[in-house]
Amino acid sequence: MSAAPAILQQPHCLNHPRREAAARCTSCGQPFCRECVTELDGRMVCGSCHRAKLEVKEKPKRDWFLISVPLQLALGILLLWGTSWFLGKVLLSTPSEFHEGIMWQRFGF
Ligand SMILES: [Zn+2]
Ligand SMILES: [Zn+2]
């Protein structure tokens, strides 16, 4: 196959070396055929750039979801741990007078 000279003569589609480029991607500047370019926000972009731009648009949502789930889990565990720690501390520091009802007076009950 001797397709190399043809590529040098005229810009060809990056995805289809045998097809002549119809447009250049406004994002990466590479030549592409009519099939490989898509219009995005009024500009011609190639398939991979189109996908990349769409992913960037959707990314914050997914990232927030990925961050928020472990964060909520960690907060839940921390809250649970804190509550059990507090309860344990209160129970440990509770003297026998707790059973006599004096403890409640301390808290203002
Ligand atoms: Zn591109
Ligand atoms: Zn193409």
Side-chain angles (χ1 to χ4, degrees):
M1 294 261 263
S2 56
I7 288 169
L8 287 172
Q9 279 168 18
Q10 198 157 4
H12 280 67
C13 173
L14 209 72
N15 297 330
H16 307 98
R18 282 155 190 246
R19 286 192 201 172
E20 279 183 24
R24 252 174 213 279
C25 171
T26 54
S27 185
C28 64
Q30 296 294 332
F32 289 98
C33 72
R34 226 166 284 159
E35 265 180 53
C36 293
V37 286
T38 333
E39 208 183 300
L40 183 75
D41 299 330
R43 298 169 76 197
M44 299 305 274
V45 290
C46 70
S48 56
C49 286
H50 186 262
R51 226 173 303 133
K53 278 175 190 291
L54 284 181
E55 272 172 23
V56 164
K57 276 184 186 174
E58 288 169 12
K59 220 174 179 178
K61 243 190 266 171
R62 242 185 299 164
D63 268 8
W64 169 239
F65 180 75
L66 282 172
I67 294 164
S68 71
V69 167
L71 204 75
Q72 281 173 29
L73 213 74
L75 266 173
I77 288 165
L78 207 74
L79 204 75
L80 210 76
W81 178 81
T83 309
S84 57
W85 173 81
F86 177 75
L87 275 173
K89 213 187 172 202
V90 163
L91 285 174
L92 273 174
S93 65
T94 303
S96 55
E97 63 196 30
F98 174 84
H99 299 289
E100 289 159 30
I102 296 165
M103 197 69 189
W104 300 116
Q105 287 170 22
R106 275 195 201 170
F107 284 119
F109 282 104

